[in-house]
Amino acid sequence: MKSLVIVESPTKIKTLKQYLPKDYVIDSSMGHIRDLPASAKEIPAKFKKEEWANLGVNTDEDFEPLYVIPRGKKKVVKKLKKLLKDADELVLATDEDREGEAISWHLVELLNPDVPVKRMVFREITKEAIQDALKNFRDIDMNLVNAQETRRIIDRLAGYTISPLLWKKIAPGLSAGRVQSVAVRFLVERERERMKFRSARYWDLKAQLSKLEDNDIFEADLTHLDGKRLASGKDFDENTGKLKKPKSVVLLDDKKASQLRDDLAEAEWKVSEVKKNRQKRNPSPAFITSTLQQEANRKFGYSAKRTMQIAQKLYENGLITYMRTDSARLSGQAINAARNAVEEEYGEEYLFKRARNYGGGSKGAQEAHEAIRPAGSYFKKPEKAGLSGPDFKLYDLIWKRTIATQMAEAELEFTNVVIKATANGTKAEFKTSGKKILFPGFFRAYVEGSDDPEAALENQENYLPELTEGEKIEEHGIEPISHETKPPARFTEATLVKELEKRGIGRPSTYANIISTVQDRGYVETDGKTLIPTFTAFAVTELLERNFPELVDSDFTSEMENKLDKIAQGKGDPKEYLSNYYKGDDGLKAKVESREDNIDPQEARQLHLPLKDLDNIDVLVGRYGPYIKSKRNGDEVTTSIPNQWYPSDITVEKLEELVKAEEEGPKSIGKHPETGESVYVRNGRYGPYVQVGEVTDDNKKPPRASLLKGMKPEEVDLDLALQLLDLPRLLGKHPDTGKEVRAGVGRYGPFVVHDGTFASLRKNDNVLDVTLDRALELLAKKKKPKRSSEIKELGEHPTNGKKIRVMNGRYGPYIKYGKKNISLPDNVEPEKVSMKQAVKLIEEKGK
């Protein structure tokens, strides 16, 4: 009997094929093969005149969706239909989640098979898992299909109903979404907190101390003065920068701290209290989708989207279990594999006394999945998995986190010491602490990262000598230390995923998409790891808060997610759910229609920022970005806000400077020596720049040049302006080709260029004075695309005679085996690879 197996990913085919019977033919749907129309072009002619056609959902007929085959999928469907004609049964092996179940259902609806249909499910692509799946076929789970379809429809209803309103009231091209708008509000609320924040400065003392006649220095911080606690960051009000209870603490300034340091110069130092306590630490659960995204962001800086792409690849290559899950549970097979790995890698003393498992998962968890872990009954060691680069890093992270769950607790000893310094009636109390790891336990394998870059990790010891109460201490120096309170930290991808999960917004399969969507739509910019909402994000959030508050209410959105979960469990009615959301007096359609006319576009584009004394200046967003408007002497002054400014960077003083500069107009800093025209320093949408002459009908685009990073407009003189206008400047001729070498500034920063080859300038180079010799040096180092070259030939494979060679390619060294390429692990030196090693790597790769 011939079986046709359909998966959703072509990568999956390669791994799965190894474990299927020979009479099974396998192919891919390349993801979803049907969806709601993405544009008017995709709407079939017979539906184009229907009122609901653009929506793609017939809201009057039980929210019947209009499914179409996207243009790029028609060949795929044709191929699958052809393969089905020769098959005796259809086996659907898409992922076992809502999306995967929906793909299988769409395949049946579209292919209309007249042969038996079987649903094959597995959570890892290993021999044991596939053999088990072949014995346990099931039917398509329509509850999961209904949940996916309902989510798709409701997201379409929300997006297509609210987005046109934003186009009319704020700017074209904007979008709103049932989940994305809530995520954007989280970011905006945090930015508002930062704008309201008022910093405060306070001082304390840090003492360098040691035991008597001992050279081992340790540090202690001043905490009390004459019995009263010293003020610290927690004592200040975030919105005023003032002390909450000024009478209950001592506040030191620069002078007082320096004076106290001098007063304590002749002090007697003595240990007044020593407290020790031992604590045990347990390992974190194995990864679920959200914690994997968070940890990969903390440790490697990977975006949620990139993490999921790498994890998908590892899963499809049979190395890890399914990567979209909200259950931290490990199967019995996984626990045994992890315990064996611990004993093999670290020894029996590092094995926890009993099998450790974790139940549950995130709020509103979906189906009872297993945690993300290495696949199979034996966990392949990272260095033997044939991986490199990001793939190796993520697999190594998953492997270590999983085996750590079965490792012994870490045992720590904490010592807290109070030291008193007395001099001339002044009594100062200093505190210090130490941390000692008595037994590392699971720390040997894995230590969780921190969202606070300044926080010490769990496995970092803090040395402190053995001290006893009453012991005299020697002082080696006292330093006044200044501190400034910090505003609430902006979200990173890791902390945003954590917040979404905590509030029940979205589900494992949606976190990465939520974050990439708000970035793609221009609501968020990134600065390193941090996510910063744009002015447009503020405008959209304010409009929704004022007119449709439930659409950005996290509790409302979380409850919607819970209802979708009930549909997935067969406990909810999709049609009733959609009707309650969209129809009736309280439905989305009626709300938008009744409130649209009351929304003034000018008011919608104006931002209400939490700044004091902003009465005379309006901050707005427009088609070309943010700008300000102010009435001065009866005239309206309008000017752009520089693109590099973020909302929380704005102060009333900065805005006043922009208005003043616009009022006064550009000031000439001199005349251009060749044209005699005035040279100006101006401010524009993309920041400050220099310009020759004025814009006129005959000269609509006068010569301009942006200021370099770090330059201030007030520091630019005529000589510097002329240098900027001269970019890209000629450095000379290349000695080998005779062609020009130039230095300039582009999209990715300063560069030198020769004959189409660009090389970035380094941190210490200056584009205005870089020399030809330096440019030639940088260009010589510029890596050109590598062609594969042979490092060594090993000979023929001992069983099949195929030639085996070690090669060096664009992405590093690899083994060439026939027509196949196998990457070498990072710890293997290509020049030393033996035939035996190569054959082993080939076998591990299943080639």
mmCIF file of all heavy atoms in Angstrom, residues 180 182-187 190 293-294 297 451 490-503 505 511 514-516 518-519 524 531:
data_model
loop_
_atom_site.group_PDB
_atom_site.id
_atom_site.type_symbol
_atom_site.label_atom_id
_atom_site.label_comp_id
_atom_site.label_asym_id
_atom_site.label_seq_id
_atom_site.Cartn_x
_atom_site.Cartn_y
_atom_site.Cartn_z
ATOM 1 N N GLN A 180 -1.414 43.104 19.211
ATOM 2 C CA GLN A 180 -0.286 44.013 19.015
ATOM 3 C C GLN A 180 -0.521 45.363 19.684
ATOM 4 O O GLN A 180 0.397 45.975 20.231
ATOM 5 C CB GLN A 180 0.017 44.205 17.528
ATOM 6 C CG GLN A 180 -0.915 45.190 16.828
ATOM 7 C CD GLN A 180 -0.533 45.465 15.395
ATOM 8 O OE1 GLN A 180 -0.334 44.562 14.612
ATOM 9 N NE2 GLN A 180 -0.468 46.733 15.038
ATOM 10 N N VAL A 182 -2.154 46.007 22.416
ATOM 11 C CA VAL A 182 -1.935 45.877 23.857
ATOM 12 C C VAL A 182 -0.439 45.869 24.147
ATOM 13 O O VAL A 182 0.030 46.514 25.096
ATOM 14 C CB VAL A 182 -2.594 44.594 24.399
ATOM 15 C CG1 VAL A 182 -2.343 44.451 25.902
ATOM 16 C CG2 VAL A 182 -4.086 44.596 24.120
ATOM 17 N N ALA A 183 0.322 45.152 23.328
ATOM 18 C CA ALA A 183 1.780 45.112 23.506
ATOM 19 C C ALA A 183 2.384 46.501 23.356
ATOM 20 O O ALA A 183 3.266 46.903 24.132
ATOM 21 C CB ALA A 183 2.405 44.147 22.496
ATOM 22 N N VAL A 184 1.911 47.267 22.367
ATOM 23 C CA VAL A 184 2.405 48.632 22.167
ATOM 24 C C VAL A 184 2.056 49.499 23.375
ATOM 25 O O VAL A 184 2.865 50.318 23.829
ATOM 26 C CB VAL A 184 1.816 49.242 20.874
ATOM 27 C CG1 VAL A 184 2.156 50.732 20.776
ATOM 28 C CG2 VAL A 184 2.354 48.516 19.648
ATOM 29 N N ARG A 185 0.865 49.286 23.943
ATOM 30 C CA ARG A 185 0.483 50.077 25.118
ATOM 31 C C ARG A 185 1.421 49.803 26.297
ATOM 32 O O ARG A 185 1.761 50.718 27.054
ATOM 33 C CB ARG A 185 -0.961 49.766 25.519
ATOM 34 C CG ARG A 185 -1.454 50.736 26.589
ATOM 35 C CD ARG A 185 -2.768 50.321 27.188
ATOM 36 N NE ARG A 185 -3.288 51.366 28.066
ATOM 37 C CZ ARG A 185 -4.293 51.190 28.904
ATOM 38 N NH1 ARG A 185 -4.903 50.016 28.975
ATOM 39 N NH2 ARG A 185 -4.698 52.175 29.668
ATOM 40 N N PHE A 186 1.824 48.538 26.478
ATOM 41 C CA PHE A 186 2.788 48.230 27.542
ATOM 42 C C PHE A 186 4.044 49.094 27.382
ATOM 43 O O PHE A 186 4.566 49.653 28.343
ATOM 44 C CB PHE A 186 3.195 46.747 27.496
ATOM 45 C CG PHE A 186 2.124 45.791 27.950
ATOM 46 C CD1 PHE A 186 2.230 44.440 27.666
ATOM 47 C CD2 PHE A 186 1.021 46.224 28.653
ATOM 48 C CE1 PHE A 186 1.268 43.544 28.081
ATOM 49 C CE2 PHE A 186 0.039 45.335 29.078
ATOM 50 C CZ PHE A 186 0.156 43.987 28.784
ATOM 51 N N LEU A 187 4.535 49.178 26.145
ATOM 52 C CA LEU A 187 5.751 49.939 25.874
ATOM 53 C C LEU A 187 5.536 51.435 26.108
ATOM 54 O O LEU A 187 6.396 52.124 26.665
ATOM 55 C CB LEU A 187 6.208 49.697 24.432
ATOM 56 C CG LEU A 187 6.598 48.260 24.089
ATOM 57 C CD1 LEU A 187 6.698 48.086 22.580
ATOM 58 C CD2 LEU A 187 7.909 47.875 24.736
ATOM 59 N N ARG A 190 5.316 52.286 29.862
ATOM 60 C CA ARG A 190 6.641 52.310 30.471
ATOM 61 C C ARG A 190 7.369 53.608 30.115
ATOM 62 O O ARG A 190 8.043 54.214 30.938
ATOM 63 C CB ARG A 190 7.446 51.085 30.021
ATOM 64 C CG ARG A 190 8.849 50.974 30.603
ATOM 65 C CD ARG A 190 8.849 50.828 32.116
ATOM 66 N NE ARG A 190 8.069 49.706 32.583
ATOM 67 C CZ ARG A 190 8.517 48.448 32.680
ATOM 68 N NH1 ARG A 190 9.756 48.165 32.336
ATOM 69 N NH2 ARG A 190 7.738 47.494 33.137
ATOM 70 N N GLN A 293 12.819 32.025 24.655
ATOM 71 C CA GLN A 293 12.981 33.320 23.983
ATOM 72 C C GLN A 293 13.640 34.333 24.917
ATOM 73 O O GLN A 293 14.514 35.093 24.491
ATOM 74 C CB GLN A 293 11.610 33.826 23.523
ATOM 75 C CG GLN A 293 11.012 33.021 22.389
ATOM 76 C CD GLN A 293 9.581 33.416 22.070
ATOM 77 O OE1 GLN A 293 9.004 34.277 22.719
ATOM 78 N NE2 GLN A 293 8.994 32.779 21.073
ATOM 79 N N GLN A 294 13.231 34.327 26.178
ATOM 80 C CA GLN A 294 13.805 35.269 27.140
ATOM 81 C C GLN A 294 15.290 35.003 27.359
ATOM 82 O O GLN A 294 16.120 35.914 27.338
ATOM 83 C CB GLN A 294 13.067 35.155 28.478
ATOM 84 C CG GLN A 294 11.640 35.680 28.446
ATOM 85 C CD GLN A 294 10.856 35.285 29.681
ATOM 86 O OE1 GLN A 294 11.357 35.404 30.794
ATOM 87 N NE2 GLN A 294 9.648 34.806 29.499
ATOM 88 N N ASN A 297 17.538 35.801 24.433
ATOM 89 C CA ASN A 297 17.707 37.248 24.312
ATOM 90 C C ASN A 297 18.703 37.762 25.341
ATOM 91 O O ASN A 297 19.574 38.584 25.031
ATOM 92 C CB ASN A 297 16.354 37.946 24.475
ATOM 93 C CG ASN A 297 16.447 39.454 24.290
ATOM 94 O OD1 ASN A 297 16.433 40.210 25.251
ATOM 95 N ND2 ASN A 297 16.580 39.897 23.051
ATOM 96 N N ASP A 451 17.691 39.801 33.809
ATOM 97 C CA ASP A 451 17.249 40.943 33.014
ATOM 98 C C ASP A 451 17.946 42.225 33.439
ATOM 99 O O ASP A 451 17.934 43.214 32.723
ATOM 100 C CB ASP A 451 15.728 41.118 33.156
ATOM 101 C CG ASP A 451 14.968 39.990 32.476
ATOM 102 O OD1 ASP A 451 15.387 39.582 31.386
ATOM 103 O OD2 ASP A 451 13.978 39.505 33.052
ATOM 104 N N ARG A 490 13.470 50.335 30.267
ATOM 105 C CA ARG A 490 12.654 50.025 29.088
ATOM 106 C C ARG A 490 12.556 48.509 28.922
ATOM 107 O O ARG A 490 13.406 47.760 29.391
ATOM 108 C CB ARG A 490 13.272 50.632 27.830
ATOM 109 C CG ARG A 490 13.106 52.135 27.724
ATOM 110 C CD ARG A 490 13.684 52.633 26.420
ATOM 111 N NE ARG A 490 13.386 54.038 26.194
ATOM 112 C CZ ARG A 490 14.285 54.990 26.016
ATOM 113 N NH1 ARG A 490 15.569 54.682 26.058
ATOM 114 N NH2 ARG A 490 13.925 56.232 25.806
ATOM 115 N N PHE A 491 11.546 48.086 28.199
ATOM 116 C CA PHE A 491 11.405 46.667 27.913
ATOM 117 C C PHE A 491 12.484 46.217 26.933
ATOM 118 O O PHE A 491 12.879 46.958 26.027
ATOM 119 C CB PHE A 491 10.036 46.372 27.282
ATOM 120 C CG PHE A 491 8.898 46.333 28.266
ATOM 121 C CD1 PHE A 491 7.996 47.377 28.341
ATOM 122 C CD2 PHE A 491 8.731 45.236 29.107
ATOM 123 C CE1 PHE A 491 6.943 47.339 29.238
ATOM 124 C CE2 PHE A 491 7.684 45.190 30.004
ATOM 125 C CZ PHE A 491 6.784 46.240 30.078
ATOM 126 N N THR A 492 12.950 44.994 27.125
ATOM 127 C CA THR A 492 13.706 44.283 26.101
ATOM 128 C C THR A 492 12.750 43.239 25.538
ATOM 129 O O THR A 492 11.630 43.063 26.043
ATOM 130 C CB THR A 492 14.926 43.579 26.699
ATOM 131 O OG1 THR A 492 14.463 42.596 27.656
ATOM 132 C CG2 THR A 492 15.858 44.559 27.397
ATOM 133 N N GLU A 493 13.177 42.512 24.519
ATOM 134 C CA GLU A 493 12.311 41.442 24.014
ATOM 135 C C GLU A 493 12.058 40.418 25.113
ATOM 136 O O GLU A 493 10.954 39.894 25.254
ATOM 137 C CB GLU A 493 12.924 40.776 22.776
ATOM 138 C CG GLU A 493 12.879 41.649 21.545
ATOM 139 C CD GLU A 493 12.886 40.856 20.251
ATOM 140 O OE1 GLU A 493 12.589 39.646 20.277
ATOM 141 O OE2 GLU A 493 13.195 41.451 19.203
ATOM 142 N N ALA A 494 13.100 40.136 25.905
ATOM 143 C CA ALA A 494 12.961 39.148 26.983
ATOM 144 C C ALA A 494 11.920 39.597 28.004
ATOM 145 O O ALA A 494 11.034 38.822 28.389
ATOM 146 C CB ALA A 494 14.309 38.922 27.664
ATOM 147 N N THR A 495 12.002 40.854 28.451
ATOM 148 C CA THR A 495 11.074 41.306 29.491
ATOM 149 C C THR A 495 9.671 41.548 28.934
ATOM 150 O O THR A 495 8.682 41.407 29.656
ATOM 151 C CB THR A 495 11.586 42.582 30.182
ATOM 152 O OG1 THR A 495 11.862 43.592 29.200
ATOM 153 C CG2 THR A 495 12.858 42.292 30.968
ATOM 154 N N LEU A 496 9.573 41.881 27.634
ATOM 155 C CA LEU A 496 8.240 42.048 27.039
ATOM 156 C C LEU A 496 7.539 40.700 26.920
ATOM 157 O O LEU A 496 6.342 40.585 27.217
ATOM 158 C CB LEU A 496 8.334 42.733 25.676
ATOM 159 C CG LEU A 496 6.986 43.004 24.987
ATOM 160 C CD1 LEU A 496 6.078 43.857 25.868
ATOM 161 C CD2 LEU A 496 7.182 43.675 23.627
ATOM 162 N N VAL A 497 8.263 39.668 26.488
ATOM 163 C CA VAL A 497 7.678 38.323 26.423
ATOM 164 C C VAL A 497 7.217 37.899 27.818
ATOM 165 O O VAL A 497 6.135 37.335 27.993
ATOM 166 C CB VAL A 497 8.692 37.305 25.851
ATOM 167 C CG1 VAL A 497 8.214 35.868 26.079
ATOM 168 C CG2 VAL A 497 8.906 37.546 24.365
ATOM 169 N N LYS A 498 8.048 38.200 28.812
ATOM 170 C CA LYS A 498 7.711 37.858 30.202
ATOM 171 C C LYS A 498 6.424 38.569 30.634
ATOM 172 O O LYS A 498 5.558 37.975 31.294
ATOM 173 C CB LYS A 498 8.878 38.280 31.101
ATOM 174 C CG LYS A 498 8.845 37.715 32.512
ATOM 175 C CD LYS A 498 10.144 38.093 33.222
ATOM 176 C CE LYS A 498 10.198 37.512 34.627
ATOM 177 N NZ LYS A 498 11.474 37.859 35.291
ATOM 178 N N GLU A 499 6.297 39.838 30.262
ATOM 179 C CA GLU A 499 5.109 40.618 30.620
ATOM 180 C C GLU A 499 3.871 40.107 29.890
ATOM 181 O O GLU A 499 2.785 39.990 30.478
ATOM 182 C CB GLU A 499 5.343 42.097 30.296
ATOM 183 C CG GLU A 499 4.265 43.040 30.779
ATOM 184 C CD GLU A 499 4.247 43.237 32.292
ATOM 185 O OE1 GLU A 499 5.210 42.799 32.965
ATOM 186 O OE2 GLU A 499 3.274 43.821 32.797
ATOM 187 N N LEU A 500 4.005 39.809 28.609
ATOM 188 C CA LEU A 500 2.882 39.271 27.831
ATOM 189 C C LEU A 500 2.390 37.959 28.440
ATOM 190 O O LEU A 500 1.182 37.741 28.579
ATOM 191 C CB LEU A 500 3.304 39.047 26.374
ATOM 192 C CG LEU A 500 3.570 40.293 25.528
ATOM 193 C CD1 LEU A 500 4.225 39.912 24.213
ATOM 194 C CD2 LEU A 500 2.273 41.065 25.260
ATOM 195 N N GLU A 501 3.344 37.106 28.798
ATOM 196 C CA GLU A 501 2.989 35.807 29.385
ATOM 197 C C GLU A 501 2.307 36.006 30.741
ATOM 198 O O GLU A 501 1.286 35.384 31.030
ATOM 199 C CB GLU A 501 4.246 34.956 29.542
ATOM 200 C CG GLU A 501 3.955 33.566 30.077
ATOM 201 C CD GLU A 501 5.229 32.775 30.281
ATOM 202 O OE1 GLU A 501 6.223 33.361 30.742
ATOM 203 O OE2 GLU A 501 5.222 31.581 29.982
ATOM 204 N N LYS A 502 2.852 36.901 31.562
ATOM 205 C CA LYS A 502 2.301 37.139 32.897
ATOM 206 C C LYS A 502 0.868 37.669 32.809
ATOM 207 O O LYS A 502 0.006 37.290 33.598
ATOM 208 C CB LYS A 502 3.185 38.144 33.648
ATOM 209 C CG LYS A 502 2.747 38.389 35.090
ATOM 210 C CD LYS A 502 3.692 39.346 35.800
ATOM 211 C CE LYS A 502 3.349 40.782 35.486
ATOM 212 N NZ LYS A 502 4.148 41.760 36.263
ATOM 213 N N ARG A 503 0.623 38.528 31.819
ATOM 214 C CA ARG A 503 -0.712 39.134 31.685
ATOM 215 C C ARG A 503 -1.674 38.250 30.876
ATOM 216 O O ARG A 503 -2.834 38.620 30.676
ATOM 217 C CB ARG A 503 -0.601 40.488 30.990
ATOM 218 C CG ARG A 503 0.317 41.484 31.674
ATOM 219 C CD ARG A 503 -0.384 42.270 32.760
ATOM 220 N NE ARG A 503 0.389 43.464 33.078
ATOM 221 C CZ ARG A 503 0.054 44.696 32.697
ATOM 222 N NH1 ARG A 503 -1.026 44.904 31.993
ATOM 223 N NH2 ARG A 503 0.804 45.733 33.043
ATOM 224 N N ILE A 505 -1.425 37.540 27.613
ATOM 225 C CA ILE A 505 -1.614 38.114 26.276
ATOM 226 C C ILE A 505 -0.855 37.267 25.265
ATOM 227 O O ILE A 505 0.355 37.118 25.359
ATOM 228 C CB ILE A 505 -1.093 39.569 26.212
ATOM 229 C CG1 ILE A 505 -1.688 40.417 27.328
ATOM 230 C CG2 ILE A 505 -1.378 40.172 24.846
ATOM 231 C CD1 ILE A 505 -3.185 40.541 27.303
ATOM 232 N N TYR A 511 4.166 34.965 20.430
ATOM 233 C CA TYR A 511 5.034 35.986 21.026
ATOM 234 C C TYR A 511 5.994 36.598 20.003
ATOM 235 O O TYR A 511 6.134 37.819 19.912
ATOM 236 C CB TYR A 511 5.850 35.411 22.189
ATOM 237 C CG TYR A 511 5.027 34.923 23.356
ATOM 238 C CD1 TYR A 511 5.323 33.725 23.993
ATOM 239 C CD2 TYR A 511 3.948 35.662 23.839
ATOM 240 C CE1 TYR A 511 4.569 33.263 25.066
ATOM 241 C CE2 TYR A 511 3.188 35.208 24.909
ATOM 242 C CZ TYR A 511 3.502 34.013 25.513
ATOM 243 O OH TYR A 511 2.760 33.564 26.559
ATOM 244 N N ILE A 514 4.177 38.809 17.529
ATOM 245 C CA ILE A 514 3.718 40.076 18.115
ATOM 246 C C ILE A 514 4.848 41.099 18.087
ATOM 247 O O ILE A 514 4.677 42.244 17.653
ATOM 248 C CB ILE A 514 3.239 39.863 19.571
ATOM 249 C CG1 ILE A 514 1.954 39.032 19.608
ATOM 250 C CG2 ILE A 514 3.007 41.208 20.262
ATOM 251 C CD1 ILE A 514 1.598 38.527 21.002
ATOM 252 N N ILE A 515 6.040 40.676 18.541
ATOM 253 C CA ILE A 515 7.171 41.604 18.648
ATOM 254 C C ILE A 515 7.655 42.046 17.272
ATOM 255 O O ILE A 515 7.914 43.234 17.038
ATOM 256 C CB ILE A 515 8.314 40.965 19.463
ATOM 257 C CG1 ILE A 515 7.860 40.794 20.922
ATOM 258 C CG2 ILE A 515 9.564 41.824 19.413
ATOM 259 C CD1 ILE A 515 8.817 40.009 21.784
ATOM 260 N N SER A 516 7.750 41.113 16.334
ATOM 261 C CA SER A 516 8.223 41.496 14.994
ATOM 262 C C SER A 516 7.201 42.393 14.294
ATOM 263 O O SER A 516 7.567 43.308 13.555
ATOM 264 C CB SER A 516 8.527 40.254 14.149
ATOM 265 O OG SER A 516 7.380 39.464 13.966
ATOM 266 N N VAL A 518 5.075 44.677 15.726
ATOM 267 C CA VAL A 518 5.114 46.065 16.219
ATOM 268 C C VAL A 518 6.385 46.778 15.751
ATOM 269 O O VAL A 518 6.395 48.012 15.597
ATOM 270 C CB VAL A 518 4.968 46.141 17.762
ATOM 271 C CG1 VAL A 518 3.640 45.562 18.197
ATOM 272 C CG2 VAL A 518 6.108 45.458 18.491
ATOM 273 N N GLN A 519 7.447 46.006 15.487
ATOM 274 C CA GLN A 519 8.663 46.615 14.942
ATOM 275 C C GLN A 519 8.479 46.945 13.463
ATOM 276 O O GLN A 519 8.822 48.039 13.015
ATOM 277 C CB GLN A 519 9.857 45.678 15.128
ATOM 278 C CG GLN A 519 10.293 45.540 16.586
ATOM 279 C CD GLN A 519 11.409 44.532 16.762
ATOM 280 O OE1 GLN A 519 11.411 43.469 16.137
ATOM 281 N NE2 GLN A 519 12.361 44.829 17.614
ATOM 282 N N VAL A 524 7.835 50.598 17.135
ATOM 283 C CA VAL A 524 8.940 50.351 18.057
ATOM 284 C C VAL A 524 10.259 50.454 17.309
ATOM 285 O O VAL A 524 10.374 49.989 16.171
ATOM 286 C CB VAL A 524 8.827 48.940 18.679
ATOM 287 C CG1 VAL A 524 10.042 48.627 19.539
ATOM 288 C CG2 VAL A 524 7.570 48.825 19.526
ATOM 289 N N LEU A 531 13.602 48.089 23.650
ATOM 290 C CA LEU A 531 12.523 48.409 22.718
ATOM 291 C C LEU A 531 11.974 49.787 23.090
ATOM 292 O O LEU A 531 11.564 50.006 24.232
ATOM 293 C CB LEU A 531 11.414 47.365 22.819
ATOM 294 C CG LEU A 531 11.825 45.907 22.547
ATOM 295 C CD1 LEU A 531 10.663 44.971 22.839
ATOM 296 C CD2 LEU A 531 12.304 45.731 21.114
#
